Amino acid sequence: MESESLSITAANPVALLPRLAVLGAVVLWGASFSTMRIALQDLHPLSVMWLRMIIALTCILPLYRTVSLSAYRKGDWKLLLAAVIFQPCLYFWLESAALGLTTSAQAGIISASVPLLVAVAAWMILKEPMSTRVTAGLLLSVAGVTVLTLGGQATESAPSPLLGNSMEFLAMVCAAANMILIRILGRRYDAWTLTVMQVVTGCLFFSPGIGYLMEVPAGTFDLQLVLILVFLGAGVTLGAFSLYNWAITRMPASTASAHINLIPVVAVGCGFAFLGETMNPLQMAAACVVLFSVLMTQKF
């Protein structure tokens, strides 16, 4: 009995590491909504995204020897291409555009729909069964997101919440599709290699942002903006995706995506603290519906 107890205790830290990695990624992602909005005040969305990717790539270069494609099998390029197109390309393009049109708090709430979208994607692609509870939660979540979107009023900081929230939801669809593909590819490819593929593809996809950078006055890049870009590039683009890709190859996709529920908490908190963002009563009620719909689908 004593040896069995010791073995379980010794195994617990190992089992805990993937969850800690997901939590770290979630905190970084949640904080990225408000910091991204601050960066978008001075730079074009494509410029911000290209800078994020190039900063991440700079951090990767010294470790290029650790990237391995030895596990490649014929036909894998289709899955790999689809994975990097969904994320970072479409996901970041949609989200960066959305954050220029809506608040980081509303965008963060919409991100809570990812676990439900992953469940639907797993049902469609991996043929995993979807319970009645998950189906009901999905419908309730869509209703909540719809009310949250339609209930938004145009303000100086959120000029078009309807379009912005719609684009954010599409970004979440891309994120869910990517999670399923990463889960499949993670059976053969290590998380670091998949992350590097995402970063390199992102650098190429967002390279048109260089043109917009040429038009930015040199004095725009003050210490605050530089630190934000470093945080977004090294901390979020590289750090968060490395942590999440590593974790999702060591736990079920549905379990990993359930931790996404914490992103709205971090996003709303940062939005209130750093940007003074608020939501009207109807939107707050809709936000509660979205969070409740996600909670009702989880097994505790």
Side-chain angles (χ1 to χ4, degrees), residues 264-298:
V265 179
V266 179
V268 171
C270 290
F272 288 169
F274 301 126
L275 299 175
E277 295 177 347
T278 59
M279 290 186 287
N280 60 46
L282 178 62
Q283 288 183 303
M284 292 181 68
C288 291
V289 169
V290 174
L291 294 177
F292 174 75
S293 68
V294 175
L295 290 175
M296 70 178 286
T297 66
Q298 303 302 313

Side-chain angles (χ1 to χ4, degrees), residues 99-200:
L99 288 173
L101 301 171
T102 188
T103 65
S104 61
Q106 293 180 56
I109 293 296
I110 292 173
S111 69
S113 60
V114 168
L116 299 178
L117 294 172
V118 169
V120 173
W123 170 66
M124 295 176 62
I125 300 173
L126 303 180
K127 307 302 179 183
E128 294 181 2
M130 189 166 64
S131 67
T132 303
R133 183 176 57 177
V134 172
T135 303
L138 175 63
L139 296 175
L140 191 60
S141 176
V142 170
V145 169
T146 301
V147 174
L148 177 70
T149 298
L150 296 178
Q153 298 177 347
T155 63
E156 184 178 352
S157 61
S160 183
L162 174 60
L163 178 59
N165 289 345
S166 299
M167 295 183 75
E168 180 66 21
F169 184 75
L170 290 176
M172 295 306 107
V173 173
C174 293
N178 173 266
M179 289 177 187
I180 296 297
L181 290 170
I182 291 295
R183 178 62 179 165
I184 296 172
L185 291 167
R187 297 167 183 168
R188 295 195 298 276
Y189 298 89
D190 64 88
W192 179 247
T193 298
L194 294 172
T195 301
V196 171
M197 290 181 185
Q198 289 177 310
V199 171
V200 172

Side-chain angles (χ1 to χ4, degrees), residues 2-128:
E2 183 178 357
S3 61
E4 181 180 354
S5 176
L6 289 174
S7 64
I8 294 175
T9 304
N12 282 338
V14 177
L16 186 62
L17 286 178
R19 291 185 179 273
L20 291 177
V22 173
L23 288 175
V26 163
V27 170
L28 290 170
W29 276 330
S32 71
F33 286 96
S34 56
T35 51
M36 184 70 177
R37 275 185 60 82
I38 295 174
L40 290 174
Q41 294 173 2
D42 298 312
L43 301 174
H44 189 277
L46 288 178
S47 297
V48 176
M49 288 314 311
W50 183 78
L51 287 170
R52 287 179 62 168
M53 293 297 167
I54 205 67
I55 290 172
L57 183 61
T58 302
C59 297
I60 287 173
L61 286 178
L63 304 172
Y64 73 94
R65 293 182 182 276
T66 61
V67 177
S68 173
L69 294 176
S70 58
Y72 181 83
R73 295 181 185 176
K74 184 178 180 180
D76 276 2
W77 67 271
K78 297 177 183 178
L79 292 177
L80 292 169
L81 181 61
V84 296
I85 286 178
F86 279 123
Q87 193 163 303
C89 299
L90 293 179
Y91 170 82
F92 277 130
W93 176 69
L94 288 166
E95 185 168 85
S96 60
L99 288 173
L101 301 171
T102 188
T103 65
S104 61
Q106 293 180 56
I109 293 296
I110 292 173
S111 69
S113 60
V114 168
L116 299 178
L117 294 172
V118 169
V120 173
W123 170 66
M124 295 176 62
I125 300 173
L126 303 180
K127 307 302 179 183
E128 294 181 2

